[in-house]
């Protein structure tokens, strides 16, 4: 899932919506992922998901949340970054914005970036 030469693939909201036109397509994979998570790190699912780290940006009344996850059964390494600003100075900027990073778990190479978290906001927040 990377471009020739190893450059990461960048997916905006439009690309995510085009590649995954119906949220219902996520139900099966989400059910499996939640089952693996419930079995824990030592279970057959092998999901490692530490508590969220939240960095306060007091000067601007905002926060940065960092949510890394590794799933051994899927051999998937991802991190979701979410910013939340209580009252953005620009009303055209959403209060929540998210970016998802997908890494190659065998060597840590960044493989894909999903940004402009429209899809994430609609389904996860």
């Amino acid at each position: 899932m990377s471009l020739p030469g190893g450059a990461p693939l960048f997916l905006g909201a439009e690309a995510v919506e085009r590649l995954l036109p119906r949220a219902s397509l996520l139900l099966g994979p989400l059910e499996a992922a939640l089952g693996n998570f419930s079995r824990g790190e030592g279970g057959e699912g092998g999901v490692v998901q530490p508590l969220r780290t939240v960095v306060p940006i007091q000067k601007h009344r905002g926060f940065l949340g960092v949510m890394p996850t590794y799933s051994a059964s899927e051999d998937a390494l991802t991190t979701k970054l979410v910013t939340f600003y209580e009252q953005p100075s620009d009303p055209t900027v959403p209060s929540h914005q998210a970016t998802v990073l997908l890494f190659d778990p065998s060597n840590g190479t960044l493989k894909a970036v999903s940004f402009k978290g429209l899809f994430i906001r609609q389904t996860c927040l």
Side-chain angles (χ1 to χ4, degrees):
M1 180 181 272
S2 59
L3 299 173
L9 179 65
F10 288 85
L11 299 171
E14 300 80 20
V16 172
E17 290 173 353
R18 186 179 72 250
L19 294 168
L20 192 61
R22 294 186 331 206
S24 63
L25 295 174
L26 288 174
L27 294 179
L30 282 173
E31 183 178 354
L34 290 171
N36 288 338
F37 176 74
S38 295
R39 288 188 275 284
E41 286 183 44
E44 64 185 65
V47 173
V48 180
Q49 185 177 19
L51 294 176
R52 295 176 181 178
T53 298
V54 178
V55 179
I57 316 298
Q58 293 177 349
K59 178 179 178 180
H60 300 287
R61 300 182 65 196
F63 301 89
L64 168 66
V66 181
M67 296 161 256
T69 303
Y70 173 69
S71 172
S73 64
E74 300 293 329
D75 200 25
L77 178 61
T78 64
T79 297
K80 180 167 73 171
L81 305 169
V82 179
T83 58
F84 167 71
Y85 282 77
E86 295 177 26
Q87 295 179 337
S89 57
D90 180 350
T92 64
V93 175
S95 62
H96 291 73
Q97 297 183 68
T99 300
V100 176
L101 306 173
L102 175 66
F103 299 93
D104 181 332
S106 69
N107 61 23
T109 301
L110 179 63
K111 303 299 280 183
V113 178
S114 177
F115 57 97
K116 291 190 179 179
L118 173 66
F119 184 78
I120 295 162
R121 281 197 309 276
Q122 289 177 340
T123 60
C124 298
L125 293 176

